Each structure stands twice: as C-alpha cells, then as structure tokens.
Amino acid sequence: MLEVKDLNVGYGELTILKNVSFAVEDGELVAIIGGNGSGKTTLLRTLAGLHSARSGKILYQKKEITRLPPHERVKSGIVYVPEGRHLFPYLTVKENLELGAYNPRARGKVKENLRLVYKLFPILKERKNQQAITLSGGEQQMLAIGRALMSLPKLLMLDEPSLGLAPKLVTGIFKTINLLHKEQEITIVLVEQNAKRALELSDRAYILENGRITLEGSGKELLNDDRVREAYLGL
C-alpha cells in the first residue's frame, strides 16, 4: 500500500530524515518507534503532505504521491491524526465529526460513518452536542480518531495517540486501534512512545533513530531484541 524510498526531509540547513526507506503492506499495522527528536512526527507529516521532501519518493498504491497536496492525499484515503489532537475546540462533537467527512469520497456516507463512530465510542454520542473543549483528554483523543474515521481512511496514521492519557484510557485507546485494524481492516501506521504496547499490536515495526531507520522486524521480534529492550522497553 505504501512504499517510501530514500526520503530526505529538513528545515533550512537542518536535515531531519536521512534516506528513510520502508514499506507498509495492505492490511498491516506498522509501528514506528524512536526517541524524542528522532523524526517520527516529521515522517508522518511528510507522508500526509504537510512537509515537503527534499528528495526521495513516496508511493501509495503504486502511484507516486511525493508532490501531491494534502487534500488530494486525504481524498485518496490517507488520513493523519496528529499529536495533540488539533480539534475545533468551540465546535460540538458532532460538528467536528461531520468536518471529517468533508472530502467528496466521504460526503455521501456521513450518517453511516457517524453510526460506526458512535458504536466505537459511545461516550461521543452522549456528548455529541457538547463543545470539544469541554471533553476530557481521553474523550478528545476518541474524537480525533473518530473524525479521521469519518474520512473513510484506507491508510490511517496515528501520532502518539496515548500521549498524556491515564493508564486506563491508554488501554482503551489501544483496544480501539486493534479493533480498527482487525475488524475494520484499516491499514495503520502507528507512531507511539509506548513502545511495548505498540510492538505488541504491530505486525511489523521500524526503529527510527536520528532520522534513520536502524532496525526493522516483526513486532514480536523487536520485543525480544536486546537492543530494543534496553533502549525502549527499560528491560
């Protein structure tokens, strides 16, 4: 579904991503693991079209999209849930969700997709007339994921979905991600600081360090890799 070849991205004289290459197969959940400042968010934002690549290629469903604008990527099924959620705070829950269905491919399925989101996150149905700013952190994360689902994603990219959440809410978010992957059959790229949870969920994973891919393998392989256990799992 997605192939990244020798991607280089930077700001001014600073290079953030250095010859990054990786692939995501249709139906996979692929985790990207790395420390702060390793380039994980820059990678997702580049895939979403929010940063420009200096060089390299991004192929989606075998078509090059390296220079494709963000709205065209959303239209094709690439949907990004950014770190920090970035909701419309003074719009209601329902209005935020409806804005997720702005692209032409999703407009005809608003009611159907609302039913799915409310089934996944019943609390959002209860809160549908509340402003997004009044929700708890966990509820806001549910709303951010729900808004992405309204866009009918084929490739869903999640940036730190558990960040700042209480442990009980983190468990619920990861259960939802697993459900989207297994039951809704959505291909997912997951950037997550909770390396253990991410690796447990993932089919495959890549380690990103200082802007370079340094290690790859199945989630299970990397969970048992001594280098990963020491650097990211505290074991």
Side-chain angles (χ1 to χ4, degrees):
M1 175 170 277
L2 180 73
E3 187 174 5
V4 176
K5 297 181 178 181
D6 298 321
L7 193 66
N8 288 278
V9 181
Y11 312 95
E13 297 182 0
L14 183 64
T15 300
I16 306 297
L17 299 178
K18 305 158 189 172
N19 298 314
V20 169
S21 297
F22 71 98
V24 180
E25 299 295 336
D26 190 10
E28 279 193 313
L29 194 162
V30 172
I32 308 290
I33 304 299
N36 289 331
S38 61
K40 304 185 303 297
T41 292
T42 296
L43 176 58
L44 289 195
R45 288 179 61 83
T46 304
L47 297 177
L50 301 173
H51 288 318
S52 297
R54 287 177 173 170
S55 61
K57 292 183 178 181
I58 303 170
L59 303 176
Y60 172 67
Q61 296 182 324
K62 299 184 178 179
K63 296 180 181 179
E64 186 173 354
I65 62 164
T66 314
R67 305 300 172 194
L68 198 68
H71 69 277
E72 292 292 342
R73 300 190 197 203
V74 174
K75 192 186 298 183
S76 71
I78 301 173
V79 180
Y80 171 50
V81 180
E83 178 185 345
R85 301 181 271 277
H86 292 274
L87 301 170
F88 297 97
Y90 298 107
L91 296 183
T92 66
V93 166
K94 186 179 180 184
E95 287 168 340
N96 269 274
L97 292 172
E98 289 172 339
L99 281 171
Y102 183 77
N103 79 79
R105 199 168 57 87
R107 285 179 199 168
K109 296 187 176 182
V110 173
K111 290 183 179 180
E112 177 184 339
N113 291 332
L114 272 175
R115 284 195 294 270
L116 171 62
V117 171
Y118 288 154
K119 181 180 178 182
L120 288 170
F121 304 115
I123 192 66
L124 295 184
K125 187 174 184 179
E126 293 179 28
R127 306 265 197 270
K128 64 181 180 180
N129 295 318
Q130 287 185 215
Q131 291 179 323
I133 198 172
T134 67
L135 302 180
S136 69
E139 291 164 351
Q140 288 187 11
Q141 187 62 68
M142 294 175 197
L143 180 54
I145 294 174
R147 183 178 60 184
L149 295 177
M150 294 293 292
S151 299
L152 293 176
K154 297 177 183 177
L155 174 65
L156 180 63
M157 302 188 298
L158 301 170
D159 193 357
E160 304 285 5
S162 75
L163 187 68
L165 300 184
K168 184 177 179 180
L169 295 175
V170 169
T171 297
I173 288 294
F174 278 110
K175 282 182 178 178
T176 299
I177 294 169
N178 191 48
L179 186 150
L180 294 175
H181 174 224
K182 300 292 187 182
E183 294 188 15
Q184 299 299 318
E185 299 180 341
I186 297 174
T187 305
I188 296 174
V189 176
L190 173 64
V191 160
E192 177 56 56
Q193 292 252 11
N194 191 329
K196 184 174 185 294
R197 288 288 186 95
L199 292 174
E200 287 170 345
L201 277 186
S202 64
D203 298 305
R204 292 187 305 110
Y206 294 87
I207 305 298
L208 186 65
E209 295 180 321
N210 297 318
R212 300 182 187 274
I213 299 289
T214 59
L215 200 61
E216 63 180 277
S218 70
K220 185 176 181 180
E221 286 171 346
L222 294 186
L223 273 172
N224 293 309
D225 186 286
D226 288 340
R227 291 165 293 180
V228 175
R229 290 164 64 85
E230 181 178 352
Y232 300 105
L233 305 181
L235 299 173

